[in-house]
């Protein structure tokens, strides 16, 4: 490893080397790749790590085919991003996932109903986002597997119950995350890289705001609340606030949508490729087909800051709404 990398890279590399299963190695490599700054000096290293990652994914895939058990806490990412729906018991996490997605997790009036995570797909704008219902956070059950799931998610959606001390619930949930060395991304500036923390974007859904009668409670909560994350009033039961929540999740994922166009044809406007903001032409090619990433010969873009059909290189950073023609 080059020596001029951020300090957390050494720690992530050590975790990668120590990992026993391909799945754990994949997690560590993905985090390592995300931590390495993108510039000419790291091109080689990143390419090497990416091909190692691809080989590991193939190994993990064939192991699964051969009947190796994988943990229910390892949920394959689908769609534009993976959102972990987390929080204290009985706040309505499962009810919210059931209301917003095609999944049907069990909802019940007693705590600790959910024992294993359940994913579902939520439609927003013209993409699908994966919401993952999770078992409740509890101080007596640190659940390393739940911690792993939360670390791997792209965005955290913490759910609190407006009718049951929401500020206390949020403080408890944040304290339990902090015990697991996971903090909201807004706190990044206050910490140094040596602290080996994981930072995640966070939204808070204030659930059970069923009708106008509880709007006053929500306003009072906002006045008392001293945190920095957005509070979103919702009701899993009546659907109030769900459009705003969907939109906030979409914005929180910080993605762009790019439309691919086969040479000489019109782009498919109904099926965008969702990519992390800052993604390049090369990363789009990898999403379409791994072979295309290697064999990419040329690319042209219709969109912002270019003339129509402008030829661009592999490193060109794409914008939301761009149309891209790739030739392999
Ligand atoms: N009034 C009202 N009740 C709700 C709402 N959402 C969930 N509930 C009720 O709250 C209770 C708990 O809901 P769940 O979805 O099982 O809560 P959970 O957070 O998944 O609970 P655990 O899996 O135990 O952590 C159930 O009785 C739900 O019917 C809501 O928007 N309004
Ligand atoms: Mg539940």
């Amino acid at each position: 490893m080059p020596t001029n990398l951020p300090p957390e890279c050494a720690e992530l590399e050590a975790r990668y080397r120590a990992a026993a299963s391909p799945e754990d190695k994949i997690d560590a490599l993905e985090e390592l790749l995300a931590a390495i700054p993108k510039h000419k000096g790291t091109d080689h290293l990143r390419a090497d790590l990416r091909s190692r990652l691809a080989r590991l994914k193939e190994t993990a895939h064939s192991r699964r085919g051969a009947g190796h058990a994988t943990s229910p806490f390892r949920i394959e990412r689908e769609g534009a991003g993976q959102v972990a729906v987390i929080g204290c018991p009985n706040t309505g996490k499962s009810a919210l996932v059931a209301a917003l997605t095609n999944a049907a997790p069990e909802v019940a009036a007693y705590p600790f109903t959910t024992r294993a995570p359940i994913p579902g797909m939520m439609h927003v704008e013209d993409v699908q986002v994966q919401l993952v219902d999770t078992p409740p956070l509890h101080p007596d059950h640190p659940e390393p597997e739940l911690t792993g799931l939360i670390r791997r998610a792209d965005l955290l959606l913490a759910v609190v119950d407006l009718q049951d001390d929401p500020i206390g619930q949020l403080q408890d949930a944040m304290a339990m995350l902090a015990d697991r060395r996971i903090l909201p991304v807004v706190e990044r500036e206050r910490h140094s890289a040596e602290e080996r923390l994981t930072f995640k974007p966070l939204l808070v859904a204030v659930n059970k705001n069923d009708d106008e009668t509880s709007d006053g409670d929500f306003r009072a909560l906002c006045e008392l609340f001293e945190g920095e994350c957005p509070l979103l009033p919702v009701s899993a039961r009546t659907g109030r606030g769900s459009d705003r929540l969907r939109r906030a999740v979409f914005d929180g994922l910080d993605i762009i949508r790019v439309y691919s166009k086969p040479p000489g044809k019109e782009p498919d406007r109904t099926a965008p490729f969702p990519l992390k903001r800052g993604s390049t032409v090369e990363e789009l090619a990898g999403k379409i087909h791994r072979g295309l990433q290697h064999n990419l010969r040329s690319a042209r873009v219709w969109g912002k800051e270019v003339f129509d059909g402008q030829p661009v290189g592999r490193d060109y950073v794409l914008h939301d709404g761009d149309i891209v023609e790739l030739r392999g």
Side-chain angles (χ1 to χ4, degrees):
M1 295 268 282
T3 48
N4 56 348
L5 292 176
E8 71 259 33
C9 290
E11 141 91 356
L12 288 167
E13 197 204 9
R15 229 175 75 200
Y16 164 68
R17 293 199 184 287
S21 69
E23 285 81 10
D24 289 344
K25 281 198 184 293
I26 289 171
D27 286 350
L29 257 195
E30 283 184 338
E31 276 195 55
L32 181 56
L33 263 169
I36 295 176
K38 288 184 187 170
H39 56 70
K40 279 269 169 282
T42 60
D43 268 0
H44 245 79
L45 175 65
R46 283 186 295 120
D48 175 51
L49 294 180
R50 268 201 306 270
S51 62
R52 252 193 264 182
L53 184 61
R55 281 199 302 276
L56 274 168
K57 283 190 171 168
E58 268 163 30
T59 314
H61 195 75
S62 56
R63 264 163 57 98
R64 237 171 285 153
H68 281 266
T70 54
S71 156
F73 284 79
R74 240 165 228 293
I75 302 217
E76 200 156 328
R77 177 179 265 90
E78 278 183 50
Q82 188 176 65
V83 181
V85 181
I86 59 168
C88 296
N90 224 32
T91 52
K93 299 177 292 300
S94 302
L96 207 53
V97 170
L100 294 171
T101 75
N102 57 347
E106 189 184 350
V107 173
Y110 46 86
F112 299 99
T113 307
T114 305
R115 299 298 176 124
I118 296 183
M121 299 308 288
M122 174 179 88
H123 196 83
V124 49
E125 297 279 313
D126 50 0
V127 298
Q128 300 277 342
V129 172
Q130 186 183 47
L131 299 191
V132 183
D133 182 25
T134 62
L137 291 165
H138 193 276
D140 298 340
H141 306 283
E143 285 248 43
E145 292 224 277
L146 177 57
T147 306
L149 186 154
I150 295 172
R151 276 172 182 280
R152 288 188 293 274
D154 300 307
L155 173 72
L156 307 182
L157 178 62
V159 183
V160 296
D161 179 344
L162 178 60
Q163 314 300 344
D164 185 17
D165 184 17
I167 291 188
Q169 282 181 349
L170 187 57
Q171 282 168 342
D172 288 352
M174 289 301 103
M176 287 183 270
L177 287 185
D179 285 347
R180 297 159 155 97
R181 313 192 65 71
I182 300 168
L183 296 182
V185 73
V186 287
E187 293 188 25
R188 195 197 296 267
E189 283 164 17
R190 278 167 243 148
H191 295 270
S192 71
E194 284 77 21
E195 290 177 75
R196 295 173 188 168
L197 297 160
T198 303
F199 294 95
K200 290 282 160 189
L202 169 77
L203 298 173
V204 179
V206 183
N207 191 31
K208 311 197 187 181
N209 184 24
D210 296 342
D211 52 41
E212 309 78 58
T213 57
S214 49
D215 283 345
D217 292 344
F218 179 70
R219 278 194 298 274
L221 165 67
C222 292
E223 274 169 32
L224 285 171
F225 181 63
E226 289 174 342
E228 291 157 281
C229 46
L231 297 179
L232 300 151
V234 289
S235 167
R237 182 162 292 173
T238 65
R240 279 183 102 213
S242 61
D243 286 345
R244 243 183 87 194
L245 180 66
R246 282 174 205 270
R247 184 69 219 189
V249 166
F250 180 85
D251 292 341
L253 285 171
D254 204 23
I255 52 167
I256 57 166
R257 288 158 295 169
V258 174
Y259 302 83
S260 152
K261 167 182 160 344
K265 298 208 179 115
E266 286 300 304
D268 181 355
R269 284 287 197 170
T270 60
F273 283 89
L275 299 168
K276 287 217 164 79
R277 192 176 300 282
S279 294
T280 59
V281 162
E282 182 176 358
E283 279 153 328
L284 170 67
K287 269 235 161 175
I288 296 174
H289 192 269
R290 249 188 55 222
L292 188 58
Q293 188 167 9
H294 290 297
N295 305 328
L296 186 63
R297 280 192 296 121
S298 67
R300 299 202 297 155
V301 173
W302 286 252
K304 296 186 189 91
E305 296 174 23
V306 287
F307 60 78
D308 279 356
Q310 184 169 321
V312 294
R314 283 175 171 266
D315 294 342
Y316 179 75
V317 175
L318 294 162
H319 302 86
D320 190 39
D322 278 355
I323 295 168
V324 186
E325 181 188 88
L326 301 175
R327 282 177 197 262

